[in-house]
Amino acid sequence: MHVNWKNYNPGEFYDELISSPGHPRKVARPLAKYLSSLSGNELQERKASAELAIKTMGITFTVYSEGENIDREWPFDIIPRIIPEKEWRRTEKGLIQRLTALNCFIDDVYNEQKIFKDKAMPMELLRKSKNFRKQCVGMKPAFGAWAHICGTDLIKDKDGQFYVLEDNLRVPSGVSYMLENRVVTKRVFPELFENYNIMPITEYPTQLFDTLAAISPRPVDYPEVVVLTPGIYNSAYFEHSYLAQRMGAELVEGGDLVVESDDCVYMRTINGLSRVDVIYRRIDDLFLDPEVFNSESVLGVPGLMRAWLKGNVALANAPGAGVADDKVVYTYVPKMIKYYLDEEPILPNVPSYLCMDKSQCDYVVKNLDKLVVKPANESGGYGMLMGPQASKKERDEFAKRIKADPRNYMAQPLISLSTAPILTPNGVEPRHIDLRPFILQGKDHYVTAGGLTRVALVKGSYVVNSSQGGGSKDTWIVAEGS
Amino acid sequence: MLSRVAERIYWLGRYMERMENTARLINVNSNLLLDLPKGTHIGWTTLIDILGCHEEFANKDIKNEELGIIRFLLSDAGSPVSILFSLRSARENARTTREIIPTEAWELINDTYLYAKENASKSASRGGRTRFLKYIAERSQQFTGLLAGAMSHTSAYEFIRLGRNLERTDMTTRIIDVGSVNLITNNHAGAKPEGTKEDSLEPFINILWMSVLQSLSAYQMYRQHVQDRVNGEDVVMFTLQNADFPRSVASCLAQLVVCLNKLPSAEAALRSVAAAQRRVNAADIADILESSKLHDFIDTVQMDIASIHQDIAATWFLPVTMESA
C-alpha cells in the first residue's frame, strides 16, 4: 500500500518522524517524501529484499526451547529512525558523564566506600545487592574502569526529551544488530544515502578492540584478546561470533581456556597452549569460575577469578560491575554524578519510587494501577508488572511480593514511549520504540552514533525485547540541513 | 588457532566435499541407468553400497526403490549420508566458526542450505533431480574457489583442505570398490554364469567403467591420459595412482602432505600419510585384478585413511595441557 502521511496519526504520542498527520519533522522530510514517492508494490519489494538479506546474511537471534530450529531471523523494519545530530551530541555527552560516574561508583564500592561513609547513599543498598561480589573487594582494574561496555536504554516521553530507563552493565547485547541493520538499510535504500549526511557506525568493532587491548595486563604490542561465549545455544551467540569476527579476536568457549599453575590464562590451540591477555566475557558473573561461584557451571573456567585478582588477565566487564546495574541503584545515578564529578546530570532519569523507603512504598502499593514495577535485578523485561494493563488479581499478587521484599522493587510512572512509523501490510502505522546506545570506557570513551532502536511490533504494545516480540530499526544521526 | 575451531573447520571441509560427491554420484547413476536395459542387477542399491549405509537404509519402509533411495540420499534429514544432512552439518560447523571463514563463504553455505531445505524433497523426480544436483555440486566448487581467492592461506585454510582431500580420498576408494564388486566379478576371469541372460553386463562394461570415471569427473582427463578404450585395469590405475588428476587417491594423498607440512607438529599424521602413499603407489594393479584382490586392497587403503584421520584428531583436536604440549 502506497504511503500517505496524511493518514498517519501518532495521536497523543511523540512521534520521531511525523509531528502531526501530513507533517514530517524537518529532519525527516526527505525520507517521508521519498517513501511516499514509491508505489505500494515497490515498498513491499524493498521489504522483501530486506528480509531476504537478513536470511542470507544469517542475522539471527536464538529463541530458547524451540527444539531443533534454534536460530530465528532478526525482525527488522525498513523505515529508519532519525535523530538530529545536534540533539545527539548532547545525549552523547550525557551518556559519557553517566558511565564515568557509574565506574567511579563501582570502584568506590569495592574499595573505600566513600559514598556510603559520606551518607550520600544508604549502606543498606549494598548489603542486599544481589550483584555485589565480595570476591572483588580491593581490586583495582586499569583506569578505574569496571564497566567497559555499557548499553544504556533511552526513551522519549510525550515531551520529546530523552530519559534514561536503565543502564546495562553486565553483558549488554544488541550492538551487532545495530551494525547489521545499517548494512541491510544500505542494501534496501541506497538512494537515501545520497540525500542524507548520515554518521557512519562501522567503527564500533575497532573501538571495542582498542578499548579491550588498552586494558591488557601485559605491556605487549599485540595483546591476545578473546571473546568468551556460553556457546551456540545462547540467545546472543550470533553477536558473540560477529564481534569476534569483526575484531579479529578468537571466539572461545569455557573449555578452550585453562588456568595453569602460574595463575595465567591460556587457550588450547593447535600449537599448544597460548597466553590470553584480555577476555571480553559474555557469560554472567556467576558462571565465570566454578571454583568461586556456581560450582555446577560448565560454561566458565576454573581458576579464572584467581588469574584476574592476581592481575594476570583483564576481564571486560569486570566481575562485580553489575552492582551498579540494579534498578534501585539506578535511582541514585543523578546523585552519583554530583558526588563524584560535581556536575549536573545532562540526561534525566525516569522519575522513580523506591520501595525500600516506607512512604514511597506505600505510594507504590496504593497506585499500582498507574505504575510500572520492576524487580531490581531482572533483565529482558522479565518479572515486571505493567500496572495499567494488569488485572486486579495480578496487582494484588504483586503488592504482596513488594511488601515481602521491598529492597527488590522500584516503580516508575508509565512513560508514553515515543513512536515511529513502521511498514505494515496496511501501510505505515506508528509503533512504540526505545533506543540502546553503547558506551565504551577504558583509557578513553566512545559512544556509538545512535544505537539500536527497538520497536514493539504489536500495535499499542510497549514491550520492545526481541525475546518477547520486538523488532528493530536502523538509527540515523543526521546533520540538519543536509 | 583454537583446537576446537580447527576441528570444526576440518569437518566443514569434509561435509562440503561429501555433499558434492553425493550429488555427483546420484547424477551419474541416474544417467547410467537410462543407458542400461531393465533387469540388470545394477540399480540404485549400488549407491547404498558405495556410501556404506545399509543399516540406516534397511530401517526404511520404501515402496519405490528409485524414489526411496533418492529421497534417502537427497533430503532425509535423519540419514547421515543425505545431501541435506551434510549441508546442515557444514552449516553448523560454519556457524560456529564464522569469525574464521570469510563472510561470503558463510553466506554461500547458509544460502545453499536454505535453498536445499526448501527444494531437496521436491527434487527427487527424474526431471527435477539434475538441476538440483548440478546446483549443489556447483555451490561446493564455488565454496572451494571462494576460499582459495578470499581466505588467507593460514592454518585454518589448511584444515579445510585437509578435510576436503581426506573426504575425497575416501569417496574415490569407495567408488573404485563398488566398481570392483559390480564389474570385475562380472567381467574378469569369466565369472559370469552361463545362461543368466538378464544379468549379462558384457555389452555394457564399457559404459559402466565410464560411469565410474564420470562419478569422479575423471572421464575427460582419463581419455587425455590413457588414449586407449576404457578398460578396468586402466581405470583403476588412473583413479588410484595418477599423480596429476586431483581426485585420484595418489593425488589427494600428495595434497594432504602439502597441507600437513604447513601445520605444526604434523609428524605423526605425515607418517601415516606416507604409509598410505607407499601402499597405493607400489600396488601392482594388474596383479591385484588378476587375483581378484581389489576389494581387499581397497579395504586396507580405507584403514590407512581412518588412521590418518585419527592422527589428525589426536594431534590437533583433543585437549592439550601444559605437560603434553
Side-chain angles (χ1 to χ4, degrees):
Chain A
M1 205 174 158
H2 169 78
V3 172
N4 184 351
W5 295 110
K6 288 191 177 131
N7 298 334
Y8 178 89
N9 188 0
E12 55 173 325
F13 303 106
Y14 180 89
D15 192 273
E16 304 285 338
L17 299 190
I18 309 295
S19 54
S20 61
H23 295 95
R25 295 184 189 282
K26 192 178 162 208
V27 76
R29 273 173 214 160
L31 172 67
K33 196 174 155 204
Y34 171 78
L35 288 174
S36 46
S37 77
L38 297 175
S39 72
N41 273 347
E42 277 174 312
L43 269 175
Q44 294 303 333
E45 270 168 32
R46 302 289 171 111
K47 187 174 152 99
S49 89
E51 277 154 15
L52 186 67
I54 285 168
K55 228 174 157 184
T56 312
M57 287 158 71
I59 309 173
T60 58
F61 72 105
T62 312
V63 183
Y64 294 110
S65 67
E66 269 200 17
E68 199 184 318
N69 187 17
I70 55 164
D71 57 322
R72 267 198 194 168
E73 276 91 37
W74 177 246
F76 174 73
D77 176 71
I78 57 175
I79 304 175
R81 178 244 191 106
I82 303 182
I83 302 170
E85 189 187 353
K86 208 173 141 210
E87 180 185 0
W88 185 249
R89 289 295 173 209
R90 191 174 165 275
T91 310
E92 199 175 57
K93 279 201 191 96
L95 291 166
I96 290 176
Q97 178 194 53
R98 203 170 164 96
L99 183 58
T100 308
L102 283 164
N103 271 310
C104 289
F105 170 71
I106 305 168
D107 205 46
D108 192 18
V109 162
Y110 291 111
N111 289 282
E112 294 158 63
Q113 305 196 334
K114 285 191 310 222
I115 196 166
F116 303 110
K117 287 171 190 160
D118 292 345
K119 309 261 188 262
M121 269 175 87
M123 191 71 174
E124 191 202 345
L125 268 184
L126 210 53
R127 262 183 242 118
K128 290 216 173 161
S129 167
K130 279 185 191 152
N131 291 317
F132 175 77
R133 308 265 172 263
K134 60 181 192 300
Q135 296 86 349
C136 303
V137 169
M139 189 63 187
K140 281 265 170 202
F143 313 113
W146 290 70
H148 308 88
I149 299 110
C150 171
T152 292
D153 290 347
L154 300 176
I155 54 174
K156 275 188 180 178
D157 199 356
K158 285 177 188 160
D159 59 5
Q161 299 301 307
F162 275 125
Y163 290 85
V164 177
L165 188 65
E166 61 183 57
D167 309 282
N168 296 281
L169 301 171
R170 284 173 280 183
V171 283
S173 60
V175 76
S176 59
Y177 301 113
M178 171 192 91
L179 295 166
E180 292 289 69
N181 284 353
R182 178 63 55 85
V183 176
V184 174
T185 309
K186 280 182 180 168
R187 284 194 193 184
V188 176
F189 289 136
E191 309 92 327
L192 279 172
F193 286 78
E194 287 166 24
N195 302 331
Y196 271 112
N197 196 358
I198 306 160
M199 276 175 69
I201 52 173
T202 40
E203 62 173 350
Y204 179 80
T206 317
Q207 293 285 349
L208 176 61
F209 185 85
D210 291 349
T211 303
L212 294 170
I215 58 171
S216 165
R218 278 197 302 175
V220 288
D221 285 345
Y222 300 101
E224 186 75 63
V225 176
V226 302
V227 179
L228 175 61
T229 174
I232 195 157
Y233 298 105
N234 185 272
S235 60
Y237 180 79
F238 168 80
E239 174 156 309
H240 307 160
S241 160
Y242 180 95
L243 290 174
Q245 185 184 17
R246 295 303 152 101
M247 288 195 293
E250 294 283 359
L251 179 67
V252 304
E253 293 173 17
D256 295 323
L257 299 180
V258 58
V259 178
E260 285 290 327
S261 50
D262 58 358
D263 291 337
C264 291
V265 182
Y266 296 85
M267 55 183 178
R268 308 178 204 270
T269 77
I270 57 166
N271 294 302
L273 295 179
S274 167
R275 172 94 184 254
V276 171
D277 298 295
V278 182
I279 301 176
Y280 176 26
R281 51 99 176 196
R282 297 293 298 255
I283 295 184
D284 284 336
D285 279 1
L286 295 180
F287 296 96
L288 269 183
D289 181 350
E291 286 181 9
V292 178
F293 302 117
N294 185 349
S295 60
E296 308 270 287
S297 169
V298 287
L299 302 176
V301 186
L304 187 56
M305 281 299 283
R306 196 174 359 116
W308 179 68
L309 289 167
K310 289 212 168 168
N312 291 334
V313 72
L315 292 175
N317 290 349
V323 70
D325 177 350
D326 171 313
K327 302 207 167 49
V328 175
V329 172
Y330 154 88
T331 60
Y332 287 91
V333 177
K335 275 191 185 168
M336 285 176 201
I337 293 172
K338 278 180 208 146
Y339 181 82
Y340 293 111
L341 310 178
D342 194 22
E343 289 171 9
E344 286 303 314
I346 300 170
L347 292 172
N349 267 9
V350 174
S352 309
Y353 304 97
L354 283 181
C355 297
M356 63 189 283
D357 178 287
K358 183 77 179 63
S359 63
Q360 294 186 41
C361 187
D362 289 346
Y363 175 84
V364 170
V365 172
K366 282 191 192 114
N367 293 279
L368 276 181
D369 57 334
K370 300 186 192 75
L371 299 169
V372 179
V373 190
K374 298 174 179 178
N377 291 303
E378 293 288 342
S379 59
Y382 293 103
M384 56 190 256
L385 176 84
M386 297 289 265
Q389 284 148 25
S391 66
K392 174 95 174 53
K393 196 174 158 228
E394 285 169 310
R395 290 200 295 264
D396 290 347
E397 175 57 33
F398 222 85
K400 276 184 210 151
R401 277 195 242 168
I402 296 172
K403 283 178 193 157
D405 186 9
R407 160 64 180 88
N408 195 36
Y409 293 95
M410 61 87 91
Q412 294 168 337
L414 185 68
I415 300 284
S416 313
L417 298 189
S418 61
T419 58
I422 71 163
L423 187 63
T424 73
N426 311 318
V428 281
E429 289 181 11
R431 292 289 186 273
H432 293 295
I433 58 171
D434 78 351
L435 178 67
R436 177 178 286 184
F438 295 86
I439 309 101
L440 302 177
Q441 181 177 344
K443 193 158 165 271
D444 306 301
H445 284 96
Y446 172 80
V447 182
T448 50
L452 178 67
T453 292
R454 299 186 297 177
V455 193
L457 293 173
V458 179
K459 195 171 188 170
S461 166
Y462 279 53
V463 183
V464 295
N465 308 81
S466 60
S467 51
Q468 299 186 36
S472 75
K473 284 171 164 294
D474 191 13
T475 309
W476 292 358
I477 305 299
V478 165
E480 268 172 299
S482 75
Chain B
M1 179 185 201
L2 293 172
S3 299
R4 178 178 51 78
V5 171
E7 181 169 11
R8 288 185 184 166
I9 213 161
Y10 164 85
W11 281 107
L12 169 61
R14 286 199 77 147
Y15 279 119
M16 287 302 280
E17 181 68 21
R18 190 173 296 177
M19 165 186 101
E20 180 187 343
N21 289 336
T22 311
R24 196 193 294 281
L25 212 52
I26 301 172
N27 205 17
V28 171
N29 211 50
S30 296
N31 284 326
L32 171 68
L33 291 190
L34 295 181
D35 283 340
L36 292 181
K38 290 202 168 119
T40 48
H41 78 273
I42 294 198
W44 286 100
T45 44
T46 312
L47 297 190
I48 301 290
D49 295 337
I50 293 182
L51 298 167
C53 51
H54 292 277
E55 268 176 47
E56 292 88 347
F57 188 66
N59 294 328
K60 303 271 159 185
D61 178 28
I62 281 160
K63 292 186 184 77
N64 177 323
E65 182 183 87
E66 175 169 347
L67 275 183
I69 292 184
I70 294 286
R71 289 220 176 92
F72 182 70
L73 298 180
L74 224 55
S75 56
D76 188 334
S79 146
V81 293
S82 76
I83 288 179
L84 202 60
F85 181 90
S86 288
L87 196 44
R88 197 181 56 194
S89 306
R91 179 171 178 266
E92 277 305 281
N93 282 297
R95 202 157 88 83
T96 47
T97 49
R98 272 175 85 157
E99 71 285 3
I100 300 287
I101 56 172
T103 305
E104 297 92 329
W106 154 253
E107 289 190 9
L108 176 94
I109 295 169
N110 188 40
D111 199 44
T112 313
Y113 171 73
L114 295 170
Y115 177 84
K117 205 169 85 171
E118 187 71 31
N119 294 291
S121 57
K122 291 185 228 157
S123 306
S125 70
R126 285 195 176 172
R129 207 181 290 161
T130 318
R131 219 177 73 172
F132 179 77
L133 294 169
K134 185 162 176 278
Y135 171 84
I136 290 293
E138 281 172 0
R139 296 296 264 189
S140 161
Q141 287 160 5
Q142 203 179 332
F143 173 73
T144 306
L146 202 153
L147 293 189
M151 184 172 179
S152 295
H153 292 192
T154 55
S155 308
Y157 185 67
E158 300 308 331
F159 277 106
I160 294 187
R161 290 184 58 207
L162 272 185
R164 180 192 307 141
N165 280 296
L166 203 60
E167 184 67 30
R168 213 175 254 185
T169 321
D170 182 63
M171 186 59 86
T172 303
T173 55
R174 282 165 190 271
I175 289 173
I176 299 173
D177 194 23
V178 171
S180 78
V181 173
N182 275 334
L183 299 172
I184 295 153
T185 46
N186 272 287
N187 183 27
H188 245 80
K192 176 179 45 127
E194 289 296 320
T196 51
K197 209 176 172 192
E198 75 281 7
D199 217 22
S200 170
L201 287 168
E202 193 64 44
F204 304 103
I205 287 298
N206 211 17
I207 298 179
L208 287 166
W209 279 117
M210 275 169 66
S211 86
V212 166
L213 288 171
Q214 279 159 351
S215 318
L216 297 166
S217 286
Y219 180 65
Q220 203 184 340
M221 296 299 128
Y222 171 89
R223 294 311 308 235
Q224 289 176 14
H225 181 74
V226 178
Q227 292 174 356
D228 188 5
R229 68 187 287 272
V230 175
N231 67 85
E233 187 178 321
D234 278 336
V235 170
V236 175
M237 271 171 68
F238 185 78
T239 51
L240 265 181
Q241 296 175 323
N242 186 279
D244 303 318
F245 182 66
R247 285 181 186 274
S248 79
V249 172
S251 164
C252 290
L253 290 172
Q255 282 299 311
L256 290 178
V257 174
V258 175
C259 301
L260 288 170
N261 275 325
K262 292 187 180 164
L263 294 173
S265 22
E267 296 76 14
L270 276 167
R271 268 197 299 278
S272 53
V273 176
Q277 282 181 308
R278 275 196 301 278
R279 191 188 314 280
V280 169
N281 295 336
D284 181 343
I285 303 300
D287 184 52
I288 290 176
L289 287 176
E290 199 58 43
S291 53
S292 299
K293 289 258 168 56
L294 187 60
H295 179 67
D296 297 337
F297 176 73
I298 295 289
D299 254 6
T300 57
V301 177
Q302 290 244 318
M303 283 192 279
D304 288 340
I305 294 171
S307 66
I308 295 171
H309 168 76
Q310 275 155 17
D311 283 325
I312 290 173
T315 307
W316 293 293
F317 303 159
L318 300 175
V320 283
T321 61
M322 204 82 135
E323 290 71 41
S324 69

